[in-house]
């Protein structure tokens, strides 16, 4: 099974990226979790470029859609900015609204900050509107112990790794249903 992981943070050492990298380390046999790395290079969404025949679609957007299409599921970890979804990540989602690859895709949402309640709720609303199959039982809060935690620190932490591993297993089970 192939899972595409998308972090909603562009920050170097971002907790959201780190948690997804830890998830990749903890993936059970037969499951590959790959981090998407194009978020910061996506152009601002423009419906004029999202034509039916696709001849104006930017190559990086076509690549994003292709990666989504190949994935059995999408694991998202996204911070909250000003009680909302960060603009760069909403931009990525907007590029997927008109795609054929995204609707019906199983999606799990990770949250690295228990303080953040608005962005997860908004993400759930937006993703459901986009016809994602939101897997609630795999959508969890997992907070790194410190800002400098590495993926290996998280994977080596008994409690955090168990939480992450359980979420991945729940996601894999739901994707197979
Ligand atoms: C511009 C900005 C706005 C933020 N607004 C909120 C907010 O409204 N609510 C909240 O809980 N955290 C807020 N935060 C904190 C981030 O969500 C938090 O630090 C998050 O863990 C950062 O994720 P990252 O480490 O993956 O970059 C904000 C951070 C920034 C930079």
């Amino acid at each position: 099974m192939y899972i595409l992981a998308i972090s909603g943070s562009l920050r170097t050492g971002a907790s959201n990226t780190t948690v997804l990298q830890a998830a990749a380390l903890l993936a059970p046999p037969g499951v590959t979790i790959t981090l998407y790395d194009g978020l910061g290079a996506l152009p601002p969404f423009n419906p004029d470029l999202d034509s039916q025949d696709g001849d104006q679609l930017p190559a990086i957007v076509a690549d994003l859609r292709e990666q989504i299409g190949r994935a059995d599921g999408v694991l998202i970890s996204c911070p909250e900015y000003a009680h909302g979804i960060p603009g760069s990540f909403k931009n990525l989602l907007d590029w997927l609204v008109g795609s054929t690859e995204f609707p019906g895709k199983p999606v799990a949402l990770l949250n690295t900050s228990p303080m953040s309640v608005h962005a997860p709720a908004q993400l759930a609303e937006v993703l459901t509107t986009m016809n994602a199959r939101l897997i609630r039982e795999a959508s969890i809060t997992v907070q790194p112990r410190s800002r400098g935690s590495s993926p290996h620190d998280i994977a080596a932490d008994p409690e955090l790794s168990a939480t992450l591993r359980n979420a991945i297993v729940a996601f894999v089970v739901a994707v197979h249903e």
Side-chain angles (χ1 to χ4, degrees):
M1 177 180 292
Y2 173 65
I3 295 172
L4 186 65
I6 309 179
S7 172
S9 178
L10 292 168
R11 193 172 69 79
T12 304
S15 61
N16 288 278
T17 310
T18 304
V19 160
L20 292 173
Q21 288 166 330
L25 293 174
L26 294 165
V31 178
T32 303
I33 300 178
T34 302
L35 195 66
Y36 175 70
D37 68 357
L39 180 71
L42 288 169
F45 175 68
N46 182 345
D48 291 343
L49 305 179
D50 193 10
S51 57
Q52 283 300 332
D53 49 22
D55 62 346
Q56 294 201 71
L57 197 68
I60 190 169
V61 176
D63 175 68
L64 166 67
R65 291 181 176 185
E66 193 270 327
Q67 291 194 48
I68 295 279
R70 267 194 295 125
D72 299 296
V74 179
L75 193 54
I76 291 171
S77 191
C78 184
E80 173 169 305
Y81 287 171
H83 286 189
I85 302 169
S88 56
F89 188 72
K90 182 61 166 61
N91 183 55
L92 177 147
L93 293 179
D94 288 343
W95 277 117
L96 296 176
V97 170
S99 74
T100 54
E101 291 85 354
F102 192 74
K105 194 64 67 177
V107 174
L109 276 179
L110 304 185
N111 179 11
T112 62
S113 170
M115 298 276 288
S116 302
V117 293
H118 302 280
Q122 290 171 26
L123 279 166
E125 172 66 20
V126 169
L127 290 163
T128 304
T129 303
M130 292 168 66
N131 291 316
R133 185 155 76 87
L134 197 56
I135 311 298
R136 303 267 177 189
E137 59 271 30
S139 298
I140 53 151
T141 296
V142 55
Q143 187 175 30
R145 300 281 175 207
S146 70
R147 206 168 157 84
S149 291
S150 73
H152 286 93
D153 292 335
I154 296 169
D157 183 297
E159 194 184 320
L160 297 181
S161 61
T163 303
L164 259 180
R165 215 180 255 120
N166 289 342
I168 298 165
V169 169
F171 192 45
V172 169
V173 168
V175 168
H176 277 134
E177 276 171 0

